[in-house]
Amino acid sequence: MTVIALVSAKSSGVTTSALAMTLSSARPSLLAECDPAGGTLRAGFFQAQITAGTGLYHLAVAERAGEDALAQAFADHLVRIDVSGNRQVLPGLTDPAQAPALERSWPALAQVMRVLSDEGGYDVIIDAGRLALESGRLHSSLTPAPLLHGADLVLLVVRATDQSLALARHMTEPLRNELTDRGTGPGALGVLLIEDGPRRAHEVADALRLPVMAALPWEPDTAAYLAGTGSAPRKLNKSALLGAARTALGHLQAAASRRALHKQYPPTPTPPVPAASSAQAAPQVAGVLQRLGQGRVDPHV
Ligand SMILES: Nc1ncnc2c1ncn2[C@@H]1O[C@H](COP(=O)(O)OP(=O)(O)O)[C@@H](O)[C@H]1O
Ligand SMILES: [Mg+2]
């Protein structure tokens, strides 16, 4: 399946879009809230029902104990967001000060997400938050760069306004360079357009010199519900936002498959971890799949 990372230059709708995609996916889906600036789902969508005892930070602790512990912790820290258990969320950091502790864990986490996608059949949506730069490159502790390297697609989320485009323009080159040097190539990079302004997709593509791979409508009511500040729409699944998110995911999956098919990058990207540990990782990571499968209801039966 597909691993999609969403990033922004400035708060633009990354978390809302990632959640809309996760909720609308036709396949089992997993949202990993990996914004180093801290997660907002816990206080928002989850209405503070998830304590600090669950979430991303604990995976950094587990990773230090080895891949087995990481695989186990990964499954333990997922929160189901539908009754079938087919949609799950890894809640993010409770404090930006936790981000440096994650720096050495990102490669292993990228690998777990790859396995969940390739072998577990999950669509994995990564909320990688707002990008930070240092000397023209992605900041090593304030951006989860290894997650971007391992993703099939990296989408720069922008709004259809000149302000949003002006800020996003500064991020395209560092992102392109990063994916060229360490990721699956510059073709992984595209735009997710949030349609809240006057700029049309072709104008955005011209301004950023990137393809607009997907677009989502501006729908304040549904977005407010997803942010935990509004009541549930009568038919969430039929909302314009979730409908468009479903369509967007379809386009993105097709784009990712085309890339893989054309061998623009190896079907199994080289994980950014030392060869010895990557060779041993798969069996342990399989433990995550087993645990995730437990109690899951097949939506097709
Ligand atoms: N498609 C949308 N339609 C309407 N409002 C949106 C949409 N996407 C995001 N928003 C709103 O924009 C604000 C920022 O969104 P959020 O997803 O938290 O951005 P980020 O994660 O990039 O900081 C929130 O108030 C959210 O409800
Ligand atoms: Mg966010």
PDB file of all heavy atoms in Angstrom, residues 86-99:
ATOM      1  N   ASN A  86      -9.970  -0.907  11.920  1.00  0.00           N
ATOM      2  CA  ASN A  86      -9.219  -0.777  10.665  1.00  0.00           C
ATOM      3  C   ASN A  86      -8.557   0.579  10.496  1.00  0.00           C
ATOM      4  O   ASN A  86      -7.746   0.767   9.615  1.00  0.00           O
ATOM      5  CB  ASN A  86     -10.147  -1.034   9.473  1.00  0.00           C
ATOM      6  CG  ASN A  86     -10.393  -2.509   9.294  1.00  0.00           C
ATOM      7  OD1 ASN A  86      -9.466  -3.279   9.076  1.00  0.00           O
ATOM      8  ND2 ASN A  86     -11.641  -2.915   9.443  1.00  0.00           N
ATOM      9  N   ARG A  87      -8.955   1.529  11.321  1.00  0.00           N
ATOM     10  CA  ARG A  87      -8.338   2.869  11.257  1.00  0.00           C
ATOM     11  C   ARG A  87      -7.735   3.167  12.611  1.00  0.00           C
ATOM     12  O   ARG A  87      -8.418   3.101  13.634  1.00  0.00           O
ATOM     13  CB  ARG A  87      -9.388   3.922  10.928  1.00  0.00           C
ATOM     14  CG  ARG A  87     -10.118   3.617   9.654  1.00  0.00           C
ATOM     15  CD  ARG A  87     -11.168   4.658   9.378  1.00  0.00           C
ATOM     16  NE  ARG A  87     -12.157   4.117   8.474  1.00  0.00           N
ATOM     17  CZ  ARG A  87     -11.938   3.840   7.200  1.00  0.00           C
ATOM     18  NH1 ARG A  87     -10.759   4.077   6.677  1.00  0.00           N
ATOM     19  NH2 ARG A  87     -12.884   3.338   6.451  1.00  0.00           N
ATOM     20  N   GLN A  88      -6.457   3.485  12.589  1.00  0.00           N
ATOM     21  CA  GLN A  88      -5.767   3.681  13.858  1.00  0.00           C
ATOM     22  C   GLN A  88      -4.887   4.917  13.798  1.00  0.00           C
ATOM     23  O   GLN A  88      -4.439   5.327  12.729  1.00  0.00           O
ATOM     24  CB  GLN A  88      -4.893   2.462  14.160  1.00  0.00           C
ATOM     25  CG  GLN A  88      -5.616   1.155  13.894  1.00  0.00           C
ATOM     26  CD  GLN A  88      -5.202   0.050  14.819  1.00  0.00           C
ATOM     27  OE1 GLN A  88      -4.915   0.273  15.988  1.00  0.00           O
ATOM     28  NE2 GLN A  88      -5.171  -1.149  14.312  1.00  0.00           N
ATOM     29  N   VAL A  89      -4.668   5.470  14.985  1.00  0.00           N
ATOM     30  CA  VAL A  89      -3.863   6.688  15.085  1.00  0.00           C
ATOM     31  C   VAL A  89      -2.757   6.483  16.122  1.00  0.00           C
ATOM     32  O   VAL A  89      -3.002   5.934  17.203  1.00  0.00           O
ATOM     33  CB  VAL A  89      -4.738   7.889  15.519  1.00  0.00           C
ATOM     34  CG1 VAL A  89      -3.873   9.093  15.866  1.00  0.00           C
ATOM     35  CG2 VAL A  89      -5.729   8.265  14.422  1.00  0.00           C
ATOM     36  N   LEU A  90      -1.566   6.907  15.765  1.00  0.00           N
ATOM     37  CA  LEU A  90      -0.481   6.995  16.731  1.00  0.00           C
ATOM     38  C   LEU A  90      -0.435   8.461  17.181  1.00  0.00           C
ATOM     39  O   LEU A  90       0.001   9.331  16.403  1.00  0.00           O
ATOM     40  CB  LEU A  90       0.841   6.593  16.076  1.00  0.00           C
ATOM     41  CG  LEU A  90       2.102   6.820  16.912  1.00  0.00           C
ATOM     42  CD1 LEU A  90       2.107   5.916  18.147  1.00  0.00           C
ATOM     43  CD2 LEU A  90       3.351   6.560  16.072  1.00  0.00           C
ATOM     44  N   PRO A  91      -0.906   8.769  18.397  1.00  0.00           N
ATOM     45  CA  PRO A  91      -0.929  10.182  18.817  1.00  0.00           C
ATOM     46  C   PRO A  91       0.484  10.735  18.978  1.00  0.00           C
ATOM     47  O   PRO A  91       1.426  10.007  19.317  1.00  0.00           O
ATOM     48  CB  PRO A  91      -1.651  10.136  20.176  1.00  0.00           C
ATOM     49  CG  PRO A  91      -2.339   8.809  20.222  1.00  0.00           C
ATOM     50  CD  PRO A  91      -1.485   7.878  19.410  1.00  0.00           C
ATOM     51  N   GLY A  92       0.610  12.036  18.742  1.00  0.00           N
ATOM     52  CA  GLY A  92       1.930  12.656  18.690  1.00  0.00           C
ATOM     53  C   GLY A  92       2.495  13.065  20.041  1.00  0.00           C
ATOM     54  O   GLY A  92       2.003  12.669  21.101  1.00  0.00           O
ATOM     55  N   LEU A  93       3.553  13.870  19.961  1.00  0.00           N
ATOM     56  CA  LEU A  93       4.260  14.314  21.164  1.00  0.00           C
ATOM     57  C   LEU A  93       3.382  15.266  21.970  1.00  0.00           C
ATOM     58  O   LEU A  93       2.593  16.028  21.418  1.00  0.00           O
ATOM     59  CB  LEU A  93       5.553  15.033  20.760  1.00  0.00           C
ATOM     60  CG  LEU A  93       6.533  14.223  19.912  1.00  0.00           C
ATOM     61  CD1 LEU A  93       7.757  15.073  19.546  1.00  0.00           C
ATOM     62  CD2 LEU A  93       6.960  12.956  20.645  1.00  0.00           C
ATOM     63  N   THR A  94       3.558  15.224  23.290  1.00  0.00           N
ATOM     64  CA  THR A  94       2.790  16.141  24.136  1.00  0.00           C
ATOM     65  C   THR A  94       3.567  17.432  24.384  1.00  0.00           C
ATOM     66  O   THR A  94       3.019  18.396  24.898  1.00  0.00           O
ATOM     67  CB  THR A  94       2.463  15.483  25.495  1.00  0.00           C
ATOM     68  OG1 THR A  94       3.672  14.955  26.043  1.00  0.00           O
ATOM     69  CG2 THR A  94       1.454  14.365  25.329  1.00  0.00           C
ATOM     70  N   ASP A  95       4.855  17.419  24.006  1.00  0.00           N
ATOM     71  CA  ASP A  95       5.699  18.570  24.302  1.00  0.00           C
ATOM     72  C   ASP A  95       6.804  18.618  23.233  1.00  0.00           C
ATOM     73  O   ASP A  95       7.479  17.605  22.995  1.00  0.00           O
ATOM     74  CB  ASP A  95       6.318  18.328  25.697  1.00  0.00           C
ATOM     75  CG  ASP A  95       7.204  19.477  26.159  1.00  0.00           C
ATOM     76  OD1 ASP A  95       7.595  20.318  25.320  1.00  0.00           O
ATOM     77  OD2 ASP A  95       7.518  19.517  27.360  1.00  0.00           O
ATOM     78  N   PRO A  96       7.007  19.770  22.596  1.00  0.00           N
ATOM     79  CA  PRO A  96       8.063  19.849  21.566  1.00  0.00           C
ATOM     80  C   PRO A  96       9.438  19.495  22.124  1.00  0.00           C
ATOM     81  O   PRO A  96      10.317  19.072  21.365  1.00  0.00           O
ATOM     82  CB  PRO A  96       8.030  21.319  21.132  1.00  0.00           C
ATOM     83  CG  PRO A  96       6.748  21.871  21.628  1.00  0.00           C
ATOM     84  CD  PRO A  96       6.276  21.031  22.766  1.00  0.00           C
ATOM     85  N   ALA A  97       9.615  19.638  23.436  1.00  0.00           N
ATOM     86  CA  ALA A  97      10.917  19.309  24.030  1.00  0.00           C
ATOM     87  C   ALA A  97      11.233  17.819  23.905  1.00  0.00           C
ATOM     88  O   ALA A  97      12.381  17.400  24.093  1.00  0.00           O
ATOM     89  CB  ALA A  97      10.933  19.729  25.506  1.00  0.00           C
ATOM     90  N   GLN A  98      10.219  17.004  23.573  1.00  0.00           N
ATOM     91  CA  GLN A  98      10.457  15.556  23.402  1.00  0.00           C
ATOM     92  C   GLN A  98      11.076  15.248  22.033  1.00  0.00           C
ATOM     93  O   GLN A  98      11.595  14.149  21.820  1.00  0.00           O
ATOM     94  CB  GLN A  98       9.126  14.799  23.519  1.00  0.00           C
ATOM     95  CG  GLN A  98       8.477  14.899  24.890  1.00  0.00           C
ATOM     96  CD  GLN A  98       7.036  14.378  24.882  1.00  0.00           C
ATOM     97  OE1 GLN A  98       6.351  14.437  23.860  1.00  0.00           O
ATOM     98  NE2 GLN A  98       6.590  13.874  26.017  1.00  0.00           N
ATOM     99  N   ALA A  99      11.015  16.203  21.107  1.00  0.00           N
ATOM    100  CA  ALA A  99      11.420  15.916  19.721  1.00  0.00           C
ATOM    101  C   ALA A  99      12.862  15.416  19.587  1.00  0.00           C
ATOM    102  O   ALA A  99      13.107  14.446  18.855  1.00  0.00           O
ATOM    103  CB  ALA A  99      11.185  17.135  18.840  1.00  0.00           C
TER     104      ALA A  99
END
